Amino acid sequence: MMEKSPVVKAGLGAHQGAIILIDKPRGPSSHQVAAWVREMTGISAVSHTGTLDPQVSGVLVILLGRAVRLTSILHHDEKEYVALMRLHGDVPHDELHQVITHFTGRIYQRPPKRSAVKRALRIREIHKIEILDQMGRLVLLKVTCDSGTYIRSLCHHIGLACGVGAAMVELRRTRSGPFRESECVTLHALRDAIERAKAGSDEDLHRIVRSPLDALEGFPRIFMKTTAADAICHGARLSCRGVIACDPFQMEELVIMMAGDDFIGIGEALVSSSRIVPGEKGLVVAPRLIMQDPGVYPSSWKTHERKREKS
């Protein structure tokens, strides 16, 4: 029998999956980095939450095991970058600052020619642009933006607006969703932690591997009775009768479904939280993504079905 990965042995990634934050170096593609993590951990299901071009470094969120199911949700997380831009002519600092203020908010972008995606016009939102430093024609920018924003195109358009032209020289992602570069580890550090875990010391690996819930910071939670959990795992909608408590949320908002400390899945709110009365009738959440296996919790809902059949 094949020996289990130390990540699985530690109980991380065996059920709801796990997250590893990699400080991607310049050179390899995001796909290659994910493949290396797959090889090191021995976990076959691996993905990431936002592609970085080969020459871009920084935060790459790697999802392992069942956490791969969160890819479509986490892919849209807000991103933060530090970019080095070279102006093709002299622009005074005050003038540059004035131009940059016009690039916050919703902007139109077309992916650059070197991009691997279709060059269709898209709308992205720039939440904040800050000039960190300027030395002549070299400008260091910090950009907070929607996922899928092309900083290379942004630099090019800033240069055009200044009347001199500009190009991106270097780029680093400093944040992806709630995760910052200070929380990341290098591929070498991950390899060392895995090797130490194989030798019987898994403390470093426990510090590196994160829960999928860490990526869902800010999502409202709804807590259900354990007797309702198995029905949800089979695709049933959560009713008020199965609710214990919940955070405030609005109708159609995504909510995290919990049974105690166990992450059951993510659902779409059918009503606002203000209309939920625990123990009463009425459907409140429709499951959209299940993280737990059916059969883990008692199937009391089947008992109710049998009672109805007898009656």
Side-chain angles (χ1 to χ4, degrees):
M1 181 180 294
M2 184 179 294
E3 186 179 358
K4 285 186 178 181
S5 157
V7 175
V8 175
K9 280 185 176 180
L12 303 166
H15 298 294
Q16 277 93 1
I19 290 176
I20 296 178
L21 308 177
I22 294 294
D23 189 338
K24 178 192 169 298
R26 298 179 64 189
S29 66
S30 298
H31 178 76
Q32 182 63 69
V33 171
W36 286 334
V37 173
R38 180 186 298 112
E39 180 183 349
M40 282 188 274
T41 61
I43 296 175
S44 58
V46 176
S47 69
H48 58 80
T49 66
T51 301
L52 289 174
D53 289 342
Q55 294 308 311
V56 178
S57 65
V59 182
L60 187 64
V61 180
I62 303 291
L63 307 178
L64 301 163
R66 197 163 294 178
V68 168
R69 298 179 184 181
L70 299 174
T71 302
S72 61
I73 293 174
L74 302 182
H75 185 75
H76 299 289
D77 276 351
E78 182 181 276
K79 305 294 194 291
E80 180 186 272
Y81 297 91
V82 171
L84 181 61
M85 177 180 70
R86 178 183 286 115
L87 296 165
H88 296 161
D90 296 327
V91 180
H93 182 84
D94 290 344
E95 181 181 335
L96 177 62
H97 182 270
Q98 185 63 32
V99 168
I100 283 177
T101 60
H102 294 294
F103 283 87
T104 56
R106 291 164 64 85
I107 64 170
Y108 287 97
Q109 281 199 323
R110 192 182 301 277
K113 291 181 180 180
R114 67 180 65 187
S115 171
V117 302
K118 183 179 179 181
R119 300 189 68 238
L121 198 64
R122 56 173 68 183
I123 296 176
R124 291 294 183 268
E125 184 167 357
I126 306 295
H127 303 288
K128 184 179 180 182
I129 305 180
E130 180 182 354
I131 300 175
L132 297 179
D133 197 9
Q134 182 176 3
M135 294 181 60
R137 297 181 180 182
L138 290 176
V139 183
L140 195 63
L141 300 172
K142 181 164 76 171
V143 181
T144 306
C145 56
D146 281 353
S147 178
T149 303
Y150 284 92
I151 308 301
R152 187 181 303 279
S153 296
L154 178 64
C155 291
H156 173 70
H157 291 144
I158 289 173
L160 292 178
C162 289
V164 298
M168 188 186 80
V169 179
E170 192 168 344
L171 182 65
R172 178 171 175 81
R173 184 191 284 164
T174 52
R175 179 171 64 83
S176 179
F179 301 122
R180 297 191 171 275
E181 59 181 334
S182 58
E183 302 175 77
C184 295
V185 299
T186 64
L187 288 163
H188 295 292
L190 175 60
R191 168 67 77 181
D192 289 344
I194 289 174
E195 292 303 316
R196 283 193 287 271
K198 288 179 180 178
S201 178
D202 61 2
E203 292 85 359
D204 289 341
L205 191 59
H206 272 280
R207 282 192 290 268
I208 289 173
V209 180
R210 310 284 293 266
S211 163
L213 285 173
D214 292 344
L216 299 170
E217 181 182 291
F219 280 67
R221 300 188 181 193
I222 187 163
F223 296 87
M224 69 181 73
K225 299 175 182 178
T226 55
T227 52
D230 191 61
I232 302 303
C233 294
H234 280 85
R237 297 183 176 191
L238 179 64
S239 74
C240 283
R241 289 180 174 177
V243 174
I244 297 174
C246 64
D247 296 328
F249 54 78
Q250 298 301 316
M251 186 171 66
E252 297 184 350
E253 193 172 351
L254 292 180
V255 297
I256 298 173
M257 299 181 292
M258 303 288 296
D261 294 328
D262 196 4
F263 179 22
I264 301 300
I266 296 176
E268 181 181 339
L270 301 174
V271 297
S272 65
S273 58
S274 61
R275 295 181 57 188
I276 296 176
V277 180
E280 296 295 324
K281 293 181 179 180
L283 299 174
V284 295
V285 177
R288 292 290 177 262
L289 186 154
I290 299 299
M291 300 294 288
Q292 184 56 273
D293 287 324
V296 173
Y297 286 89
S299 55
S300 58
W301 63 287
K302 291 182 180 178
T303 302
H304 297 320
E305 289 294 330
R306 286 195 293 268
K307 285 181 179 178
R308 279 196 289 269
E309 288 175 2
K310 289 180 181 179
S311 62

